[in-house]
Amino acid sequence: MQGVTLKLDESGTHLSVHISPLELSGKIDIDLVQNAIKQSEFADFYIHDDAILTLLENTQKAIKTESSEAVIERVGERKGNEIKCKVDDGQLSATMTIIKGYGAATLTLDDLYRQAKNHKIVRGVSSKRLAALLQSYLSALAGESVSSIIAKGLPPKTGRSSKLQPLVQNALDRILRPQSSQHGRVDMRNLGDIICVKVGTELLRRLPPSRGRAGYTVTGETITPKAGEWLKLRPGDGTAISEKDENILIAEISGMPKFKDQKMWVDDTYICKGVNVGTGNVNYDGAVLVNGDITEKMEVYATGDVTVNGFVESAIIHAGGDIIITEGAMGKVNDAGTEYSTTLRAKGSIHIQHGQGLDIKCDGGVTIGRQLAFSKVVCRKEMYVGPIDKPNGNLFACSIFSQNRVQAGTFGAVSGSNLTLDFSDGFNTLLARKDSLDELVRQIRQNCSRHEDRMKIIRSKFIPEDLQGKVNAAQELFENEHQLMQWLEQKALELAANKENYQQQIVVSANKRIYPGLVIKLNNRTWRAEREYGKANISFHSHQWQCDAGA
């Protein structure tokens, strides 16, 4: 614009506008001056609008007085980029903030690295985060602020607590892992020796806790981890801590070892060659090992495991632990299918090589080596028919009441005999518990709300000193009630999650085929096999059974 000149001072920082009043060709205003600056090389400078107004006022005065001297005013300046780095209190993260300058030199990635180093941020710096921050800076307008976390430290990892390592296997574990023959093939008849430990046998080792993993801060300092804790070694019945090594648990008596729920004990064991009319029934406080058969109408009761290295026929076995039958079990069933001559009851799990006409009930899982037919099974955990790594056995003409996955090779028979798998009992138990807890939470929540309103009223009043103690006691009771409500609400959430998990874990897996006659139930939701299927999974999703054939 004629009569208007833009000039930088010698430092290259400040911008001045020079106006020659006598050279102006027309009226001058703030828009004309601002446009002149925007169209110049100084468009990115920080401009002081009040200085432009002062410039125009002085120019108007010069025009009125017909002065020939130039009117000069400093109206803008160059402002450099401003970079700030902040490290959090724990020094595990660092944030960089950039305020884009006016007319400043463009920052580079090296500049950001240099600034981080100047602020002693030397570890955990992310090149990707810095590059993204630089792009945000380049896209920003002058004066805008951009920010991002550029570095993260590593928090220390607390060491793992000591672990308990059993040195002997449970009888059921040995049974489910058949030993190999001399030719490298698995011999299903050789299920491993069922042995009883002798006095002094090492049963359990307590492994030392780990030291944990060291961490580091973004400033490069090492954070020392907290070592894991030593678990207390608690000897179970029939065991003692070794005098030679405080981390070893040894057998104090001869018997059958058992490791469950991080606890090891030794059951006093009764060993016999068979249970028959000649030996009489067995009722023993401990484990029972039968190296032979249990014949018709005989009964065995034990508080520990019952292991039968033979065959069971029309007998009753009750165990406080697991029931293991290395051969088979057989019984008779009445025409109505309500009475069974062979009954197996266990608080643990049950394993049978093959069975027919059995009434099975246990709190654990059920494993069948080859085949199960014409039987009733009630169990809480998984049921496998065949090797547990790939169940390929046969299951037909049974009523199964399970609360977990059921796997077999073949479900049903060519004849189309009925096979029912019912998962309702466990689900209904969960629903009943959930409904009861939800109702309790609702009542407690109402009480809490009512009591909170009354406590607000009390706190708003003047409390005489002699009544202050009672008010404090009432406040404490209210806080305890509130804590109880929060605990119950958390339990209600856990039960709701358990309900969803239950529906996800009730899966029927057939590794070979499914014959018509199979019925799967969850209350009123039923799936029926109307035709023959090959390999398939039947699972419960979206409130209905779904069959994934060929899975």
Side-chain angles (χ1 to χ4, degrees):
M1 180 180 177
Q2 189 175 356
V4 178
T5 307
L6 305 178
K7 291 184 179 181
L8 272 179
D9 63 0
E10 294 181 356
S11 66
T13 303
H14 299 288
L15 173 67
S16 299
V17 177
H18 296 240
I19 297 179
S20 299
L22 299 179
E23 297 179 8
L24 291 173
S25 58
K27 185 179 179 181
I28 186 170
D29 57 19
I30 189 171
D31 292 335
L32 290 175
V33 177
Q34 288 178 338
N35 288 335
I37 296 174
K38 289 179 180 179
Q39 294 172 8
S40 70
E41 59 183 306
F42 311 114
D44 290 338
F45 274 51
Y46 182 78
I47 304 302
H48 301 280
D49 291 337
D50 55 344
I52 296 179
L53 294 175
T54 302
L55 172 69
L56 295 176
E57 290 176 2
N58 294 335
T59 301
Q60 294 299 326
K61 291 178 181 178
I63 292 173
K64 289 180 180 180
T65 59
E66 296 182 352
S67 173
S68 60
E69 293 183 4
V71 179
I72 303 173
E73 189 71 34
R74 182 181 291 176
V75 299
E77 62 179 316
R78 190 195 303 272
K79 286 188 176 183
N81 298 298
E82 187 178 351
I83 302 178
K84 300 177 181 179
C85 291
K86 181 182 179 181
V87 179
D88 69 359
D89 294 337
Q91 296 190 335
L92 288 175
S93 69
T95 301
M96 178 177 285
T97 302
I98 304 175
I99 302 175
K100 191 169 186 178
Y102 294 84
T106 302
L107 292 173
T108 65
L109 197 58
D110 289 338
D111 293 330
L112 301 189
Y113 273 112
R114 193 178 302 110
Q115 286 294 327
K117 188 174 181 180
N118 291 341
H119 286 82
K120 298 182 180 180
I121 302 171
V122 296
R123 196 164 184 190
V125 179
S126 169
S127 58
K128 290 183 178 180
R129 290 177 180 270
L130 277 178
L133 178 62
L134 181 63
Q135 288 300 317
S136 299
Y137 155 79
L138 294 175
S139 303
L141 299 175
E144 285 188 349
S145 173
V146 293
S147 181
S148 175
I149 294 176
I150 61 165
K152 288 188 176 182
L154 180 69
K157 186 176 181 180
T158 302
R160 172 183 47 78
S161 298
S162 57
K163 292 180 64 177
L164 302 180
Q165 180 187 48
L167 303 178
V168 292
Q169 286 183 315
N170 291 339
L172 183 59
D173 295 333
R174 292 195 292 271
I175 287 295
L176 295 178
R177 289 165 178 79
Q179 299 177 4
S180 298
S181 66
Q182 295 179 353
H183 301 290
R185 296 181 179 178
V186 174
D187 183 2
M188 293 303 296
R189 295 181 181 178
N190 178 17
L191 296 173
D193 294 331
I194 305 300
I195 59 173
C196 293
V197 296
K198 297 179 180 179
V199 175
T201 301
E202 294 184 353
L203 305 174
L204 186 73
R205 177 183 289 114
R206 180 175 61 176
L207 301 176
S210 64
R211 297 180 179 178
R213 182 199 64 203
Y216 57 80
T217 66
V218 294
T219 58
E221 298 174 357
T222 300
I223 306 176
T224 304
K226 182 181 178 181
E229 298 181 355
W230 281 94
L231 293 178
K232 187 175 181 180
L233 198 58
R234 295 183 174 88
D237 294 340
T239 68
I241 297 175
S242 172
E243 296 180 356
K244 299 178 181 179
D245 189 342
E246 63 179 4
N247 294 314
I248 294 291
L249 205 63
I250 62 173
E252 201 172 34
I253 62 173
S254 296
M256 189 171 293
K258 192 69 178 286
F259 181 72
K260 185 178 181 181
D261 298 331
Q262 297 299 299
K263 183 179 179 181
M264 174 69 75
W265 70 93
V266 177
D267 284 328
D268 190 12
T269 306
Y270 173 77
I271 304 175
C272 61
K273 293 183 178 180
V275 178
N276 47 52
V277 176
T279 63
N281 297 325
V282 175
N283 192 333
Y284 194 71
D285 184 9
V288 173
L289 174 57
V290 181
N291 288 318
D293 299 333
I294 300 179
T295 60
E296 188 173 1
K297 295 184 179 180
M298 302 309 298
E299 300 178 2
V300 175
Y301 293 85
T303 59
D305 293 351
V306 174
T307 304
V308 182
N309 286 325
F311 192 81
V312 175
E313 181 180 0
S314 297
I316 296 175
I317 302 177
H318 284 230
D322 300 330
I323 294 177
I324 303 165
I325 302 173
T326 61
E327 293 298 332
M330 182 173 290
K332 300 173 184 178
V333 190
N334 65 354
D335 293 338
T338 56
E339 295 181 4
Y340 297 80
S341 62
T342 297
T343 302
L344 306 178
R345 299 285 185 268
K347 293 189 178 298
S349 299
I350 293 179
H351 170 80
I352 308 168
Q353 191 63 10
H354 56 85
Q356 179 172 319
L358 310 179
D359 183 2
I360 298 173
K361 186 175 182 179
C362 65
D363 292 340
V366 173
T367 55
I368 308 296
R370 297 177 185 173
Q371 177 174 290
L372 182 68
F374 303 102
S375 299
K376 176 183 176 183
V377 177
V378 179
C379 62
R380 293 184 179 179
K381 295 185 179 180
E382 295 92 342
M383 179 175 179
Y384 299 95
V385 184
I388 58 175
D389 56 342
K390 188 176 181 181
N392 56 7
N394 302 322
L395 182 66
F396 62 92
C398 293
S399 296
I400 310 296
F401 300 87
S402 178
Q403 299 180 24
N404 213 305
R405 176 186 295 265
V406 178
Q407 296 188 66
T410 301
F411 286 85
V414 178
S415 61
S417 57
N418 291 331
L419 172 61
T420 302
L421 275 64
D422 195 333
F423 297 94
S424 304
D425 289 347
F427 189 68
N428 291 336
T429 300
L430 277 176
L431 286 180
R433 292 175 57 193
K434 183 178 181 300
D435 291 343
S436 297
L437 190 57
D438 287 344
E439 176 62 22
L440 181 59
V441 169
R442 186 187 64 81
Q443 294 177 359
I444 295 292
R445 190 180 288 127
Q446 288 179 348
N447 292 340
C448 264
S449 178
R450 185 171 66 254
H451 295 161
E452 184 177 15
D453 292 339
R454 293 184 178 179
M455 289 304 300
K456 286 180 180 178
I457 295 174
I458 292 174
R459 287 193 293 265
S460 67
K461 304 294 183 179
F462 171 74
I463 309 298
E465 187 175 348
D466 58 338
L467 295 179
Q468 189 63 51
K470 294 183 178 181
V471 173
N472 293 339
Q475 178 66 30
E476 184 177 355
L477 288 173
F478 169 71
E479 291 175 355
N480 292 338
E481 184 182 47
H482 187 68
Q483 291 177 358
L484 173 62
M485 181 188 72
Q486 291 179 326
W487 182 81
L488 288 173
E489 287 175 339
Q490 180 61 35
K491 291 300 178 183
L493 291 175
E494 292 176 5
L495 270 181
N498 291 341
K499 174 187 170 185
E500 296 300 320
N501 292 336
Y502 185 93
Q503 295 177 72
Q504 293 176 7
Q505 70 189 18
I506 51 173
V507 178
V508 177
S509 297
N511 292 317
K512 290 184 178 179
R513 65 182 60 85
I514 296 175
Y515 286 109
L518 172 63
V519 177
I520 304 175
K521 295 181 179 180
L522 180 62
N523 290 336
N524 60 347
R525 303 292 182 180
T526 302
W527 184 88
R528 298 177 184 274
E530 303 292 349
R531 63 177 178 85
E532 183 177 333
Y533 293 83
K535 185 177 181 181
N537 278 343
I538 298 97
S539 55
F540 194 81
H541 295 290
S542 302
H543 307 289
Q544 62 181 354
W545 291 103
Q546 297 180 6
C547 178
D548 185 8

